[in-house]
Amino acid sequence: MVTPFRKVAVAGAGAFGTALALVADRAGASVTLWTIDEAAAARLAVSRENSDFLPGPRLPERINVTSDISRLGDADCVLLVVPSQATRSLLTGIGATLSSDAVVVACAKGIEQETGALQGEIVRAALPDHQIGALSGPGYAAEIARGLPTAVTVAASEIAVAEQVAATLSSDSFRAYASDDIVGAELGGSLKNVIAIAAGIVEGRRLGESARAALVTRGLAEMSRLGARMGARPETFMGLSGLGDLMLTAMSRQSRNTSFGIALAEGRSVAELTAPDKPLAEGAFTAAIAARLAREHGIDMPITSAVAAVLSSALTVDEAIAALVSRPLKQEIA
C-alpha cells in the first residue's frame, strides 16, 4: 500500500486550485488553500465560496484559506496552481518557506514564453533539492469541484513519488494514474491548448465536425512528434494527459481555448481576447513558444505554427486555413 501525504497545500485559489483543494480534502488530506490576494482570502475564508472564479461549490470549514505564505511550510505536498507564466515568480516567493522534504507538483498547463521551459523544469531549477511532479489530464474545474468522475495523470521522474501523490488525491470521484514520463505529461497538457484554439477556429468558421475530427487527429500526431524528440514516450500522448485532455479541450465550448478560437474566427482581436479581464486561454501564450520549439527540434507542426501565425498577425484566419488545406499530400504515418 502507498502511504498518502497527510498535509497538502494548494498555491493558487483560482478555479482549478479551488477544485484541487476540494479533491485533496475528499481524499482525506488536511488542506491549506493559499492565495496572494489578502482580501480574496479573507472573503473566501468567511463565505466558503469562490464566487470570483468558481461560484457554487462550497469549501468545508476544515479547509484552511490563507494569504500567509508561511503556512505552506507545513505541507508534505504542494500543488502549484497558478498561470504558467507566473510559476517562476511564485517560486521566488515561496521557496524558502517550504519544508525541505515537501513534494512540489506543477499543475499549470503551459510552456514559459521567455525560456521555453516546462513547468517541472522551472520548479526543478528553483527548488533543486525537492522531489518534483506534474499533474495533467482532462478535467474541468467546475465538474471536479462538484465531485463528478474525473481521471488524470500524475507524473514524476521517480514512479514512487508519482504513486504517492496519486494516492494523496484519489477518491471515489477523482482517480489519478501514476507515470514517470513527466516531460510527456507536461507537453501533452500544454500543446493540446494550441490545438484546441485551432479546433475553435474550425467551429467558429463552421467548417464541420469532419474537419474538426481531422484537425484534432493531426494535432495529436504533431504533439507526439515533438514529444518524442524532447524525450517523452509516444504512448504517453495516447493517455489521459495527451489524447484524453485533447478530446476534452478541443471538443467543447466549455474549454477556454476552444472558446478563444471561436472568438478569433468570429473576428475578435487577439488583444481583446487576452486582456487582463478576460478568461485565461493558456494556448494563446503557448503557441509561439511551441512553434519555436518545433523549429529548433526540426519537427513539422503545421497546425501549431498556423495558430502561432494567426496570433502574431502574420496570417489571417482565412490565410491560415488555406495554407493548411493546400499542404502537399503525404503518407499518414511515415
PDB file of all heavy atoms in Angstrom, residues 67-89:
ATOM      1  N   SER A  67      -3.714  33.860   3.157  1.00  0.00           N
ATOM      2  CA  SER A  67      -2.781  34.608   2.295  1.00  0.00           C
ATOM      3  C   SER A  67      -1.397  34.670   2.946  1.00  0.00           C
ATOM      4  O   SER A  67      -0.510  35.369   2.458  1.00  0.00           O
ATOM      5  CB  SER A  67      -3.308  36.016   2.041  1.00  0.00           C
ATOM      6  OG  SER A  67      -3.445  36.732   3.266  1.00  0.00           O
ATOM      7  N   ASP A  68      -1.233  33.949   4.044  1.00  0.00           N
ATOM      8  CA  ASP A  68       0.034  33.895   4.772  1.00  0.00           C
ATOM      9  C   ASP A  68       0.921  32.836   4.132  1.00  0.00           C
ATOM     10  O   ASP A  68       0.674  31.633   4.258  1.00  0.00           O
ATOM     11  CB  ASP A  68      -0.242  33.567   6.240  1.00  0.00           C
ATOM     12  CG  ASP A  68       1.036  33.491   7.075  1.00  0.00           C
ATOM     13  OD1 ASP A  68       2.139  33.667   6.511  1.00  0.00           O
ATOM     14  OD2 ASP A  68       0.920  33.229   8.294  1.00  0.00           O
ATOM     15  N   ILE A  69       1.939  33.258   3.462  1.00  0.00           N
ATOM     16  CA  ILE A  69       2.780  32.336   2.697  1.00  0.00           C
ATOM     17  C   ILE A  69       3.505  31.344   3.583  1.00  0.00           C
ATOM     18  O   ILE A  69       3.840  30.224   3.161  1.00  0.00           O
ATOM     19  CB  ILE A  69       3.763  33.136   1.809  1.00  0.00           C
ATOM     20  CG1 ILE A  69       4.279  32.272   0.657  1.00  0.00           C
ATOM     21  CG2 ILE A  69       4.912  33.686   2.635  1.00  0.00           C
ATOM     22  CD1 ILE A  69       4.994  33.056  -0.407  1.00  0.00           C
ATOM     23  N   SER A  70       3.741  31.699   4.837  1.00  0.00           N
ATOM     24  CA  SER A  70       4.455  30.792   5.728  1.00  0.00           C
ATOM     25  C   SER A  70       3.662  29.529   6.018  1.00  0.00           C
ATOM     26  O   SER A  70       4.235  28.507   6.405  1.00  0.00           O
ATOM     27  CB  SER A  70       4.794  31.499   7.045  1.00  0.00           C
ATOM     28  OG  SER A  70       3.623  31.766   7.798  1.00  0.00           O
ATOM     29  N   ARG A  71       2.332  29.569   5.822  1.00  0.00           N
ATOM     30  CA  ARG A  71       1.501  28.402   6.093  1.00  0.00           C
ATOM     31  C   ARG A  71       1.785  27.246   5.134  1.00  0.00           C
ATOM     32  O   ARG A  71       1.410  26.112   5.387  1.00  0.00           O
ATOM     33  CB  ARG A  71       0.016  28.776   6.034  1.00  0.00           C
ATOM     34  CG  ARG A  71      -0.412  29.819   7.046  1.00  0.00           C
ATOM     35  CD  ARG A  71      -0.252  29.287   8.467  1.00  0.00           C
ATOM     36  NE  ARG A  71      -1.129  28.166   8.727  1.00  0.00           N
ATOM     37  CZ  ARG A  71      -2.381  28.279   9.162  1.00  0.00           C
ATOM     38  NH1 ARG A  71      -2.901  29.481   9.366  1.00  0.00           N
ATOM     39  NH2 ARG A  71      -3.102  27.211   9.405  1.00  0.00           N
ATOM     40  N   LEU A  72       2.445  27.551   4.003  1.00  0.00           N
ATOM     41  CA  LEU A  72       2.819  26.487   3.068  1.00  0.00           C
ATOM     42  C   LEU A  72       3.904  25.596   3.630  1.00  0.00           C
ATOM     43  O   LEU A  72       4.113  24.481   3.152  1.00  0.00           O
ATOM     44  CB  LEU A  72       3.282  27.092   1.741  1.00  0.00           C
ATOM     45  CG  LEU A  72       2.294  27.984   0.983  1.00  0.00           C
ATOM     46  CD1 LEU A  72       2.899  28.462  -0.315  1.00  0.00           C
ATOM     47  CD2 LEU A  72       0.984  27.262   0.730  1.00  0.00           C
ATOM     48  N   GLY A  73       4.602  26.087   4.640  1.00  0.00           N
ATOM     49  CA  GLY A  73       5.719  25.337   5.198  1.00  0.00           C
ATOM     50  C   GLY A  73       5.320  24.073   5.919  1.00  0.00           C
ATOM     51  O   GLY A  73       6.169  23.202   6.173  1.00  0.00           O
ATOM     52  N   ASP A  74       4.050  23.931   6.267  1.00  0.00           N
ATOM     53  CA  ASP A  74       3.591  22.737   6.972  1.00  0.00           C
ATOM     54  C   ASP A  74       3.305  21.567   6.037  1.00  0.00           C
ATOM     55  O   ASP A  74       3.107  20.442   6.509  1.00  0.00           O
ATOM     56  CB  ASP A  74       2.298  23.046   7.755  1.00  0.00           C
ATOM     57  CG  ASP A  74       2.535  24.051   8.870  1.00  0.00           C
ATOM     58  OD1 ASP A  74       3.668  24.118   9.372  1.00  0.00           O
ATOM     59  OD2 ASP A  74       1.582  24.767   9.224  1.00  0.00           O
ATOM     60  N   ALA A  75       3.255  21.820   4.751  1.00  0.00           N
ATOM     61  CA  ALA A  75       2.743  20.817   3.812  1.00  0.00           C
ATOM     62  C   ALA A  75       3.781  19.760   3.447  1.00  0.00           C
ATOM     63  O   ALA A  75       4.969  20.055   3.289  1.00  0.00           O
ATOM     64  CB  ALA A  75       2.239  21.497   2.544  1.00  0.00           C
ATOM     65  N   ASP A  76       3.288  18.518   3.294  1.00  0.00           N
ATOM     66  CA  ASP A  76       4.111  17.439   2.742  1.00  0.00           C
ATOM     67  C   ASP A  76       4.106  17.471   1.220  1.00  0.00           C
ATOM     68  O   ASP A  76       5.028  16.990   0.571  1.00  0.00           O
ATOM     69  CB  ASP A  76       3.558  16.069   3.165  1.00  0.00           C
ATOM     70  CG  ASP A  76       3.350  15.936   4.653  1.00  0.00           C
ATOM     71  OD1 ASP A  76       4.314  16.190   5.396  1.00  0.00           O
ATOM     72  OD2 ASP A  76       2.221  15.598   5.054  1.00  0.00           O
ATOM     73  N   CYS A  77       3.017  18.002   0.661  1.00  0.00           N
ATOM     74  CA  CYS A  77       2.821  18.041  -0.793  1.00  0.00           C
ATOM     75  C   CYS A  77       2.237  19.395  -1.156  1.00  0.00           C
ATOM     76  O   CYS A  77       1.231  19.818  -0.570  1.00  0.00           O
ATOM     77  CB  CYS A  77       1.884  16.910  -1.216  1.00  0.00           C
ATOM     78  SG  CYS A  77       1.516  16.849  -2.988  1.00  0.00           S
ATOM     79  N   VAL A  78       2.865  20.088  -2.090  1.00  0.00           N
ATOM     80  CA  VAL A  78       2.427  21.415  -2.501  1.00  0.00           C
ATOM     81  C   VAL A  78       2.019  21.374  -3.964  1.00  0.00           C
ATOM     82  O   VAL A  78       2.815  20.986  -4.830  1.00  0.00           O
ATOM     83  CB  VAL A  78       3.539  22.467  -2.301  1.00  0.00           C
ATOM     84  CG1 VAL A  78       3.065  23.849  -2.750  1.00  0.00           C
ATOM     85  CG2 VAL A  78       3.986  22.510  -0.851  1.00  0.00           C
ATOM     86  N   LEU A  79       0.776  21.749  -4.249  1.00  0.00           N
ATOM     87  CA  LEU A  79       0.272  21.820  -5.614  1.00  0.00           C
ATOM     88  C   LEU A  79       0.366  23.263  -6.096  1.00  0.00           C
ATOM     89  O   LEU A  79      -0.252  24.153  -5.506  1.00  0.00           O
ATOM     90  CB  LEU A  79      -1.179  21.342  -5.679  1.00  0.00           C
ATOM     91  CG  LEU A  79      -1.490  19.980  -5.055  1.00  0.00           C
ATOM     92  CD1 LEU A  79      -2.978  19.654  -5.218  1.00  0.00           C
ATOM     93  CD2 LEU A  79      -0.633  18.879  -5.660  1.00  0.00           C
ATOM     94  N   LEU A  80       1.131  23.499  -7.145  1.00  0.00           N
ATOM     95  CA  LEU A  80       1.277  24.836  -7.718  1.00  0.00           C
ATOM     96  C   LEU A  80       0.215  25.017  -8.791  1.00  0.00           C
ATOM     97  O   LEU A  80       0.267  24.381  -9.838  1.00  0.00           O
ATOM     98  CB  LEU A  80       2.665  25.021  -8.331  1.00  0.00           C
ATOM     99  CG  LEU A  80       3.862  24.844  -7.400  1.00  0.00           C
ATOM    100  CD1 LEU A  80       5.152  25.067  -8.176  1.00  0.00           C
ATOM    101  CD2 LEU A  80       3.780  25.794  -6.214  1.00  0.00           C
ATOM    102  N   VAL A  81      -0.750  25.903  -8.534  1.00  0.00           N
ATOM    103  CA  VAL A  81      -1.884  26.053  -9.444  1.00  0.00           C
ATOM    104  C   VAL A  81      -2.065  27.534  -9.772  1.00  0.00           C
ATOM    105  O   VAL A  81      -3.073  28.150  -9.449  1.00  0.00           O
ATOM    106  CB  VAL A  81      -3.172  25.468  -8.845  1.00  0.00           C
ATOM    107  CG1 VAL A  81      -4.180  25.176  -9.960  1.00  0.00           C
ATOM    108  CG2 VAL A  81      -2.903  24.185  -8.071  1.00  0.00           C
ATOM    109  N   VAL A  82      -1.038  28.107 -10.397  1.00  0.00           N
ATOM    110  CA  VAL A  82      -1.092  29.484 -10.873  1.00  0.00           C
ATOM    111  C   VAL A  82      -0.859  29.457 -12.382  1.00  0.00           C
ATOM    112  O   VAL A  82      -0.382  28.460 -12.924  1.00  0.00           O
ATOM    113  CB  VAL A  82      -0.025  30.364 -10.178  1.00  0.00           C
ATOM    114  CG1 VAL A  82      -0.308  30.473  -8.690  1.00  0.00           C
ATOM    115  CG2 VAL A  82       1.386  29.824 -10.423  1.00  0.00           C
ATOM    116  N   PRO A  83      -1.204  30.521 -13.120  1.00  0.00           N
ATOM    117  CA  PRO A  83      -0.939  30.533 -14.560  1.00  0.00           C
ATOM    118  C   PRO A  83       0.526  30.219 -14.862  1.00  0.00           C
ATOM    119  O   PRO A  83       1.421  30.613 -14.107  1.00  0.00           O
ATOM    120  CB  PRO A  83      -1.313  31.965 -14.962  1.00  0.00           C
ATOM    121  CG  PRO A  83      -2.340  32.373 -13.961  1.00  0.00           C
ATOM    122  CD  PRO A  83      -1.911  31.738 -12.669  1.00  0.00           C
ATOM    123  N   SER A  84       0.753  29.517 -15.947  1.00  0.00           N
ATOM    124  CA  SER A  84       2.091  29.013 -16.238  1.00  0.00           C
ATOM    125  C   SER A  84       3.144  30.101 -16.319  1.00  0.00           C
ATOM    126  O   SER A  84       4.297  29.884 -15.950  1.00  0.00           O
ATOM    127  CB  SER A  84       2.066  28.212 -17.551  1.00  0.00           C
ATOM    128  OG  SER A  84       1.664  29.031 -18.634  1.00  0.00           O
ATOM    129  N   GLN A  85       2.766  31.278 -16.794  1.00  0.00           N
ATOM    130  CA  GLN A  85       3.745  32.355 -16.912  1.00  0.00           C
ATOM    131  C   GLN A  85       4.081  32.989 -15.567  1.00  0.00           C
ATOM    132  O   GLN A  85       4.995  33.816 -15.473  1.00  0.00           O
ATOM    133  CB  GLN A  85       3.253  33.421 -17.897  1.00  0.00           C
ATOM    134  CG  GLN A  85       2.857  32.880 -19.260  1.00  0.00           C
ATOM    135  CD  GLN A  85       3.936  32.044 -19.927  1.00  0.00           C
ATOM    136  OE1 GLN A  85       5.109  32.410 -19.923  1.00  0.00           O
ATOM    137  NE2 GLN A  85       3.559  30.910 -20.504  1.00  0.00           N
ATOM    138  N   ALA A  86       3.359  32.623 -14.504  1.00  0.00           N
ATOM    139  CA  ALA A  86       3.596  33.186 -13.173  1.00  0.00           C
ATOM    140  C   ALA A  86       4.327  32.218 -12.257  1.00  0.00           C
ATOM    141  O   ALA A  86       4.653  32.575 -11.120  1.00  0.00           O
ATOM    142  CB  ALA A  86       2.276  33.608 -12.538  1.00  0.00           C
ATOM    143  N   THR A  87       4.594  31.003 -12.730  1.00  0.00           N
ATOM    144  CA  THR A  87       5.179  29.983 -11.850  1.00  0.00           C
ATOM    145  C   THR A  87       6.532  30.410 -11.305  1.00  0.00           C
ATOM    146  O   THR A  87       6.812  30.276 -10.110  1.00  0.00           O
ATOM    147  CB  THR A  87       5.320  28.652 -12.604  1.00  0.00           C
ATOM    148  OG1 THR A  87       4.027  28.190 -12.992  1.00  0.00           O
ATOM    149  CG2 THR A  87       5.995  27.605 -11.743  1.00  0.00           C
ATOM    150  N   ARG A  88       7.392  30.945 -12.152  1.00  0.00           N
ATOM    151  CA  ARG A  88       8.740  31.299 -11.704  1.00  0.00           C
ATOM    152  C   ARG A  88       8.700  32.369 -10.618  1.00  0.00           C
ATOM    153  O   ARG A  88       9.415  32.275  -9.602  1.00  0.00           O
ATOM    154  CB  ARG A  88       9.591  31.759 -12.891  1.00  0.00           C
ATOM    155  CG  ARG A  88      11.079  31.827 -12.568  1.00  0.00           C
ATOM    156  CD  ARG A  88      11.881  32.249 -13.791  1.00  0.00           C
ATOM    157  NE  ARG A  88      11.821  31.283 -14.881  1.00  0.00           N
ATOM    158  CZ  ARG A  88      12.622  30.227 -14.988  1.00  0.00           C
ATOM    159  NH1 ARG A  88      13.531  29.984 -14.058  1.00  0.00           N
ATOM    160  NH2 ARG A  88      12.508  29.410 -16.030  1.00  0.00           N
ATOM    161  N   SER A  89       7.880  33.397 -10.802  1.00  0.00           N
ATOM    162  CA  SER A  89       7.814  34.456  -9.799  1.00  0.00           C
ATOM    163  C   SER A  89       7.216  33.933  -8.496  1.00  0.00           C
ATOM    164  O   SER A  89       7.622  34.343  -7.403  1.00  0.00           O
ATOM    165  CB  SER A  89       7.005  35.645 -10.322  1.00  0.00           C
ATOM    166  OG  SER A  89       5.690  35.272 -10.648  1.00  0.00           O
TER     167      SER A  89
END
